[in-house]
Amino acid sequence: MSVKQLKIPLFTLASLLFGLKTYIVYRFLFNISLDNIMQEFILFINPFVSAFLVFALSVWFKERRQLKFIRYTALIGTLIIYFNLLFYRNFTDFITIPVLFQGSNAADLGSSIFGLLHITDILLFIDVAVIWYVGIKFKSVVKVDYTRRNKVMALSLSIAFLIGNYVLAEIERPQLLQRTFDREYLVKNIGLFNYHLYDIALHSKTKAQRVFADGNEMPEIKQYVKENTTSDQKSELYGIAKGKNVIFVSLESFQTFLINNTMNGEEVTPFLNDLINESYYFENFYHQTEQGKTSDSEFLVENSLYPLPRGAVFFTHGQNEYNAMPEILGEQGYYTSVFHANNKSFWNRDVMYNNIGYDKFFDVESYEVTEENSIGWGLKDKPFFEQSIKYLQNLPKPFYSKFITLTNHYPFELSEEDATIEKYNSNSRTLNQFFQTARYTDEAVEQFFNQLKESGIYEDSIIVLMGDHYGISDFHDKAMSMYLDKEEITDYDHIQLQRTPFFIHIPGEDGKVISKIAGQIDVKPTLLHLLGVDTSKDLSFGTDLFTDDRKGYIALRDGSFISDKYIYTKDQCFNRETGELLGVTDDSLDDEEDQSTVCKPIKDKVQKELSYSDQIIYGDLFRFYDFGTEE
Ligand code: GP9
Ligand code: MN
């Protein structure tokens, strides 16, 4: 063997050292949760994939530049990791471009910087030193000239590794990049560096759309909203809950078909069923969420704006100006808080909550989470409520507090001892288990009501319960049709399955069942009116559910809608009550005769409305609007 063949390609050595170092940081210095072997595996490979991708580029340079490129890449890469680590030690989060340039964060970090530096951090630079040393002192054993074939091979390999990594990540978390739900997931699946590139791309796109908006769009939107959606009409219930605490419970994946229904002869949600008798219960209430799931439902509730057709608006536009409920209630003297036992950066909640005026977020750090008291996504709902009460009792009053449950989340896992209802028996494990977790959440809410009563909070509060979005997707249609005793789940049925429960429980009031159509977009004006807060200066796309002056349709994010009389989806127009297909509404058909004329005008209005809401968000148009003075 000739000496020449023994030479080490410096870029592979650098990739291995740097990759290993990055893995150690991910695994032991960041607190990244790993739920299964697949996640462990992806976390292990992605540091090497990213390192190889960058270092392999060096082969295209001439000797001197090549060594320099490798040395500086290692150094800059390490500094990026290190800055993230410092940031993480302070905020338990990864750096994002907007957060980096947010003055308050930088200042916060600056003042505590010395506490964040550890002497052992110096070890992070070992590989840089080794690469530096080898590249200078052992030039003779380092391989720097590659044939064209080898260069192409290095490039192809790095791309193949990247694709392999992405495919695994996609299997682990479908639609990882489109949905953007958590920075930790992104780092875990595609690595810190790819995450930064992704964040930069997302941020640039958002910035560009914002730059081209100048506020000229506002008068037209304002006119539309004032004429069509916002209503000044006040119902009999206006101000009925003035000065009361508001306890809002977001019920994870709760669908209306569970309510007043049985499974193998047993009631699924006995507590909620009884609660209907003492509440305003909306039986035709629809969720209007898209890819942002729970966060989209929160966005609808807090702002009465629509979430976006793609991605999670909490993530993509978490820094916009809003006129959200926590801000408005804050001005009315309310203390506002959220209780949710998940990591705070999930759905970018930490950033968004801060932006829309929440005073406090009790995230997973506020809870004692152990093996025994958690399942699936984390802390079970019963200990979640139990552990929340002490915080709730100590809040300044009146308060607006939102609780987000978690146990009834896909894949609907529950341990034997917590199950008080049997599993369903169908070809869908998901649906089979759904009834058990839903029953568990029903019991958790009952227990919460009792604790509220015992602690004396109940009397001075109104309690609002809402299902955030569907739990059973189309994928389980066969099992669903079996459960609902239908031949198949039609497009009409699919829309009707998007109903989620909505309760407004006012202690001392009888309430009633309300059948008119309603949606998450209506929650903000409805609650504000109950609290006696005037909304005539607000711009919202929903209306107070207790007034008669309503716009008469609920728009879903994909353009489908439910009106008093019709349901429109996928170019078909149905009678809402009977489900009878009335005709098609397809713009590509020239012949008016072919079109169902009844749905067409509402369909156009829905399109217009969704696009106005999108314009507000993409252009960050509320920064040009003064909610205090505008008439
Ligand atoms: C996560 C919880 C569930 O914190 O809200 O999110 P989802 O997947 O339903 O949007
Ligand atoms: Mn959810």
Side-chain angles (χ1 to χ4, degrees), residues 62-81:
K62 290 251 158 23
E63 174 178 350
R64 222 164 55 86
R65 291 198 163 199
Q66 189 179 125
L67 296 176
K68 212 168 168 185
F69 176 85
I70 294 177
R71 287 201 302 264
Y72 282 96
T73 304
L75 179 65
I76 294 167
T78 303
L79 287 173
I80 293 176
I81 296 180

Side-chain angles (χ1 to χ4, degrees), residues 20-300:
L20 184 66
K21 185 254 301 284
T22 315
Y23 173 71
I24 293 172
V25 174
Y26 285 172
R27 192 68 182 77
F28 304 106
L29 302 183
F30 291 132
N31 187 14
I32 295 180
S33 61
L34 295 166
D35 305 331
N36 54 47
I37 290 284
M38 178 75 151
Q39 290 189 357
E40 293 259 11
F41 180 67
I42 297 175
L43 187 82
F44 177 71
I45 58 161
N46 85 48
F48 295 98
V49 172
S50 306
F52 192 78
L53 186 73
V54 183
F55 286 116
L57 290 177
S58 69
V59 300
W60 299 92
F61 297 120
K62 290 251 158 23
E63 174 178 350
R64 222 164 55 86
R65 291 198 163 199
Q66 189 179 125
L67 296 176
K68 212 168 168 185
F69 176 85
I70 294 177
R71 287 201 302 264
Y72 282 96
T73 304
L75 179 65
I76 294 167
T78 303
L79 287 173
I80 293 176
I81 296 180
Y82 192 47
F83 288 143
N84 270 285
L85 186 63
L86 292 180
F87 188 83
Y88 195 90
R89 283 185 183 144
N90 207 41
F91 302 107
T92 3
D93 203 348
F94 300 97
I95 297 175
T96 65
I97 300 294
V99 167
L100 192 62
F101 293 109
Q102 205 176 290
S104 58
N105 270 326
D108 204 356
L109 202 56
S111 58
S112 51
I113 192 85
F114 289 109
L116 302 172
L117 300 170
H118 299 176
I119 186 79
T120 44
D121 292 349
I122 203 107
L123 298 175
L124 284 178
F125 292 84
I126 288 184
D127 63 323
V128 182
V130 171
I131 292 164
W132 213 277
Y133 192 69
V134 172
I136 294 172
K137 290 279 170 192
F138 294 92
K139 258 193 188 151
S140 53
V141 293
V142 163
K143 185 172 166 68
V144 280
D145 49 338
Y146 300 92
T147 58
R148 198 176 163 75
R149 215 177 128 217
N150 283 348
K151 287 180 188 172
V152 172
M153 178 108 101
L155 184 68
S156 320
L157 259 185
S158 59
I159 294 172
F161 285 155
L162 185 71
I163 294 174
N165 181 176
Y166 183 70
V167 168
L168 286 182
E170 205 34 47
I171 295 171
E172 219 295 297
R173 273 282 134 176
Q175 294 190 308
L176 180 76
L177 298 188
Q178 292 91 320
R179 291 184 58 199
T180 53
F181 34 88
D182 190 4
R183 282 181 279 283
E184 189 182 298
Y185 271 105
L186 285 168
V187 172
K188 183 153 74 177
N189 282 298
I190 61 171
L192 189 64
F193 300 99
N194 291 327
Y195 152 71
H196 280 311
L197 292 178
Y198 175 77
D199 181 54
I200 291 169
L202 195 71
H203 186 67
S204 319
K205 193 171 148 212
T206 310
K207 271 273 166 296
Q209 279 164 329
R210 191 174 182 275
V211 163
F212 290 115
D214 58 10
N216 281 337
E217 308 84 345
M218 265 332 270
E220 183 188 330
I221 297 177
K222 178 179 164 185
Q223 192 188 352
Y224 174 87
V225 168
K226 294 272 171 201
E227 281 169 13
N228 294 279
T229 64
T230 311
S231 160
D232 293 344
Q233 208 188 63
K234 296 190 164 87
S235 79
E236 285 167 23
L237 296 183
Y238 186 90
I240 191 166
K242 198 170 177 61
K244 294 222 177 201
N245 305 316
V246 180
I247 298 173
F248 186 98
V249 183
S250 171
L251 300 169
E252 179 56 49
S253 302
F254 239 85
Q255 287 177 255
T256 299
F257 81 84
L258 294 164
I259 306 288
N260 274 335
N261 213 343
T262 56
M263 204 273 306
N264 294 347
E266 264 209 79
E267 256 184 305
V268 184
T269 57
F271 176 71
L272 292 178
N273 297 348
D274 286 348
L275 192 67
I276 290 179
N277 303 325
E278 305 164 25
S279 308
Y280 292 98
Y281 173 67
F282 295 83
E283 60 180 2
N284 286 308
F285 179 91
Y286 294 81
H287 85 82
Q288 294 162 289
T289 66
E290 251 305 322
Q291 292 180 321
K293 304 298 286 291
T294 311
S295 69
D296 277 357
S297 83
E298 294 183 64
F299 186 79
L300 277 145

Side-chain angles (χ1 to χ4, degrees), residues 430-455:
T430 302
L431 181 65
N432 298 350
Q433 301 186 154
F434 186 55
F435 296 98
Q436 291 192 321
T437 47
R439 163 65 82 84
Y440 175 84
T441 298
D442 179 77
E443 288 168 2
V445 174
E446 176 173 22
Q447 174 207 293
F448 185 46
F449 266 69
N450 291 334
Q451 284 157 347
L452 289 174
K453 286 177 184 167
E454 282 158 22
S455 59

Side-chain angles (χ1 to χ4, degrees), residues 252 293-294 340 342 346-347 349 377 406 409 469:
E252 179 56 49
K293 304 298 286 291
T294 311
H340 182 47
N342 196 359
F346 202 98
W347 289 133
R349 282 186 173 110
W377 277 59
L406 206 49
H409 192 291
H469 49 74

